[in-house]
Amino acid sequence: MIHERHISVQRSARYYVLGEPSPKVEDVWIVCHGYGQLAKDFISEFETIASPRRLIVAPEALMRYYISTAPAVHGPESRVGATWMTREDRETDIADYVGYLDSLHDEIMAGLGPKNVSLTALGFSQGGATASRWVARGRTRPDRLIVWGSLLSADIAPDQAASLFREVDLAIVYGTRDQFAEQAMIADFKRLLEGHAVPHTLTTFDGGHRMDRDTLQTLAAEHHHSTTRTEQASPLLTDERFRMPDK
């Protein structure tokens, strides 16, 4: 008889840093890339908000793969991407990356010394579900969660979201021409959460399923000058369609 079992193993995880850990750092961003991306490419999007007082950390998902599915031999020029999880053994993979992100947070903060440092967690596309699961399931509590080209993971129930985001500022960002942001779906989830009073801000920009540097600069500036949570009248939540697939 076949039985499924698991064993914990030690492995190395890769991450990239923009900025220098120093006593000057007051603001840390941990940014999770989307499906099929690599951290070294994703972190370049944040050069526009780089500052001696800001440290940006881009962890790379633990699973890498050759992006092309064409029947050919993979060589030096074959593109490689990474994914945070698939539908196969998903709960184990989620637990692994939640633990990974907690450990990364601890290492980064230990290098900054004993001081109050603001922490933003950001996830783009598949990374949005990843970052929101980390905040909901992990032991790290950032000051702010930004889900970009995604919304909250469908694993997070509205009641849980209402409680969680009274402790963590929630910012939702998407492009008005994002092919994954179906307007009917967004309207459905607005109605779903109207009775749950989830504190949040909502930002849109003129563009598709991508990062936007002007919007990023605005969010960084707003966070720098304000620690007050704002609420808008139409809370949002996502389902699994509004992002690149993560399962």
Side-chain angles (χ1 to χ4, degrees):
M1 184 176 294
I2 298 174
H3 298 279
E4 179 181 294
R5 296 181 179 179
H6 295 83
I7 182 173
S8 295
V9 298
Q10 183 175 349
R11 61 159 297 171
S12 298
R14 182 166 69 175
Y15 67 94
Y16 289 81
V17 175
L18 178 59
E20 294 295 331
S22 78
K24 294 182 179 180
V25 171
E26 300 172 350
D27 190 20
V28 173
W29 290 46
I30 297 180
V31 299
C32 298
H33 63 78
Y35 178 80
Q37 295 181 316
L38 294 176
K40 66 180 178 181
D41 301 320
F42 186 58
I43 200 171
S44 66
E45 298 282 358
F46 297 84
E47 291 176 345
T48 190
I49 62 167
S51 159
R53 291 182 170 82
R54 179 174 293 122
L55 184 67
I56 300 166
V57 183
E60 190 162 276
L62 295 173
M63 293 174 282
R64 287 184 285 270
Y65 63 98
Y66 289 110
I67 291 176
S68 173
T69 58
V73 176
H74 295 118
E77 303 303 318
S78 300
R79 289 184 59 209
V80 174
T83 180
W84 293 98
M85 58 171 288
T86 66
R87 67 173 179 269
E88 186 69 23
D89 203 15
R90 68 190 301 274
E91 288 301 320
T92 301
D93 289 342
I94 291 171
D96 283 348
Y97 72 58
V98 168
Y100 161 33
L101 294 173
D102 274 338
S103 295
L104 175 61
H105 163 266
D106 292 348
E107 177 170 311
I108 294 299
M109 292 303 184
L112 300 180
K115 58 181 292 188
N116 291 326
V117 177
S118 173
L119 175 64
T120 292
L122 179 148
F124 168 69
S125 193
Q126 186 195 45
T130 299
S132 63
R133 288 190 184 106
W134 174 38
V135 173
R137 301 188 186 198
R139 50 182 167 75
T140 301
R141 279 293 176 272
D143 298 286
R144 177 171 62 162
L145 170 65
I146 301 174
V147 284
W148 192 308
S150 170
L151 297 177
L152 300 180
S153 166
D155 302 348
I156 304 175
D159 287 340
Q160 181 187 9
S163 174
L164 178 61
F165 295 111
R166 290 187 176 92
E167 301 177 21
V168 178
D169 290 334
L170 173 62
I172 299 165
V173 184
Y174 71 93
T176 55
R177 291 181 281 113
D178 189 326
Q179 65 269 36
F180 298 102
E182 301 173 6
Q183 292 304 309
M185 180 271 292
I186 294 174
D188 287 345
F189 278 87
K190 283 183 179 181
R191 288 190 291 269
L192 174 67
L193 286 191
E194 280 176 351
H196 292 274
V198 179
H200 75 287
T201 60
L202 172 64
T203 301
T204 61
F205 63 92
D206 182 20
H209 193 68
R210 61 172 176 82
M211 299 293 294
D212 180 78
R213 296 189 178 192
D214 289 341
T215 304
L216 191 57
Q217 286 178 317
T218 299
L219 289 169
E222 289 174 351
H223 188 57
H224 179 72
H225 294 296
S226 174
T227 58
T228 302
R229 177 179 295 118
T230 59
E231 299 185 18
Q232 294 191 354
S234 300
L236 297 178
L237 192 67
T238 190
D239 70 4
E240 299 295 301
R241 295 173 294 167
F242 185 27
R243 55 181 165 75
M244 297 293 284
D246 79 346
K247 64 177 186 177

